[in-house]
Amino acid sequence: MEIKTVGVVGAGQMGAGIAQVFAQAGYEVLLNDINQEALDAGLARIAKGMRRMVERGKLDAESCEAALARLKGTTVLAELGPLDLIVESATENETIKNRIFAGLKEHLGSQTLLTTNTSSISITRLASLTDRPERFMGLHFMNPVPVMQLVELIRGIATDDATFQTVRKVVENLGKTHATAEDFPAFIVNRILLPMINEAVYTLYEGVGSVDSIDKAMKLGTNHPMGPLELADFIGLDTCLAIMHVLHEGLADTKYRPCPLLVKYVEAGWLGRKSGRGFYDYRGETPVPTR
């Protein structure tokens, strides 16, 4: 089938980025969030980001305004139901995701494909509670979405080939590159990335190095563009912890045990950039390590 209209659930950093790349690629996009303030902030973030691209010469003004005209917002989840493709990009919480798909169920068009931007949760399990597990799959974008080229495609056990091929074609139309992952906890990228971040937190927890020295060592010693603790703050420490829980519970291996210090930071509400404090304090002019 041909995808022309796309609904994105969740107007946070990931959802807004996903809505932006679809609008830029020529799709009619409806962005949803239950909170009007969050929705307005997401739409404003998209407009600001695209106009900055125009200023930098990476996008012409006409294309920018045309893309923004294809993008609308709504707080009514049911309005996404008739669209061709829905991308769920809410917080990394299985209960919330199931509630969203349940809320969409009676409003879906017969042609509608369902996808989730989950970074770790079982596609098969999420699909099993919908009315169309064969038309459901994982569509995992990397952060920040407008910049990162990779999209992970994950089939559930019931995903049919027509759904997979249609979504694969959509990814190509977005100008992205796909990697196919099996439906195992955290898929490919986060199966490798999050244990590294968790080990960096253990390195801090055990006093092997400070925040600054750990990030400096990985940036200069392994040529990473961002240190693991800085990256954790960028991702969100709550999201990092949620993925580590999925790995630990799903694979039953102690090597995936979340570091107690990561748990403490999340309990304190120090979630990284989005909350103003994490492994760095972002409330001043420049980030300052918190340990």
Side-chain angles (χ1 to χ4, degrees):
M1 64 173 290
E2 185 180 359
I3 303 296
K4 295 181 179 179
T5 57
V6 178
V8 179
V9 182
Q13 186 174 18
M14 288 298 294
I18 292 167
Q20 177 181 327
V21 297
F22 272 103
Q24 283 184 232
Y27 295 94
E28 296 291 330
V29 181
L30 187 58
L31 178 62
N32 163 262
D33 201 285
I34 57 173
N35 183 294
Q36 183 67 53
E37 186 177 338
L39 179 61
D40 291 343
L43 291 168
R45 185 184 301 116
I46 293 168
K48 182 178 179 181
M50 290 182 65
R51 286 173 179 143
R52 189 182 298 125
M53 291 172 66
V54 173
E55 291 171 4
R56 294 174 178 174
K58 295 182 177 181
L59 183 68
D60 65 80
E62 187 177 344
S63 296
C64 172
E65 296 308 316
L68 290 173
R70 289 191 289 268
L71 177 62
K72 303 290 187 297
T74 181
T75 57
V76 182
L77 183 65
E79 291 184 9
L80 275 62
L83 305 181
D84 298 330
L85 174 68
I86 295 175
V87 184
E88 174 276 315
S89 188
T91 187
E92 192 69 355
N93 180 297
E94 190 165 349
T95 300
I96 292 173
K97 292 180 185 297
N98 283 330
R99 192 180 303 143
I100 288 166
F101 289 119
L104 284 166
K105 191 172 182 178
E106 64 181 278
H107 306 287
L108 295 174
S110 59
Q111 86 291 357
T112 305
L113 301 184
L114 296 177
T115 64
T116 174
N117 184 51
T118 179
S119 51
S120 61
I121 299 169
S122 168
I123 303 304
T124 297
R125 197 162 63 237
L126 289 171
S128 69
L129 298 180
T130 73
D131 66 342
R132 57 193 68 201
E134 71 286 350
R135 298 170 72 79
F136 187 111
M137 64 179 288
L139 182 61
H140 180 216
F141 290 84
M142 304 297 119
N143 188 26
V145 180
V147 175
M148 301 296 279
Q149 286 300 302
L150 182 71
V151 180
E152 284 183 312
L153 298 183
I154 311 101
R155 298 179 194 241
I157 195 170
T159 306
D160 64 28
D161 193 58
T163 298
F164 178 83
Q165 296 301 337
T166 298
V167 175
R168 180 188 61 78
K169 181 63 175 175
V170 166
V171 171
E172 291 177 357
N173 290 343
L174 296 178
K176 304 287 189 187
T177 300
H178 79 275
T180 305
E182 294 299 320
D183 189 17
F184 282 85
F187 320 128
I188 294 172
V189 173
N190 285 321
R191 171 75 176 266
I192 297 167
L193 175 64
L194 265 297
M196 183 198 76
I197 288 174
N198 193 54
E199 194 62 28
V201 182
Y202 266 115
T203 305
L204 179 65
Y205 177 60
E206 294 168 5
V208 180
S210 64
V211 169
D212 182 64
S213 61
I214 291 167
D215 277 351
K216 186 186 297 180
M218 292 304 290
K219 284 191 286 186
L220 301 181
T222 61
N223 207 27
H224 287 193
M226 190 182 292
L229 300 176
E230 183 186 1
L231 179 57
D233 276 357
F234 181 74
I235 294 168
L237 303 192
D238 52 342
T239 300
C240 292
L241 181 59
I243 295 169
M244 288 309 302
H245 279 313
V246 168
L247 282 166
H248 192 219
E249 293 164 10
L251 298 172
D253 192 322
T254 55
K255 73 180 181 180
Y256 298 115
R257 183 172 71 98
C259 179
L261 183 60
L262 178 60
V263 176
K264 284 293 183 186
Y265 268 69
V266 173
E267 288 176 343
W270 292 19
L271 308 180
R273 285 181 177 271
K274 62 185 174 184
S275 67
R277 275 188 294 188
F279 292 113
Y280 293 85
D281 189 328
Y282 299 92
R283 295 174 297 172
E285 289 187 14
T286 57
V288 178
T290 53
R291 288 178 79 90

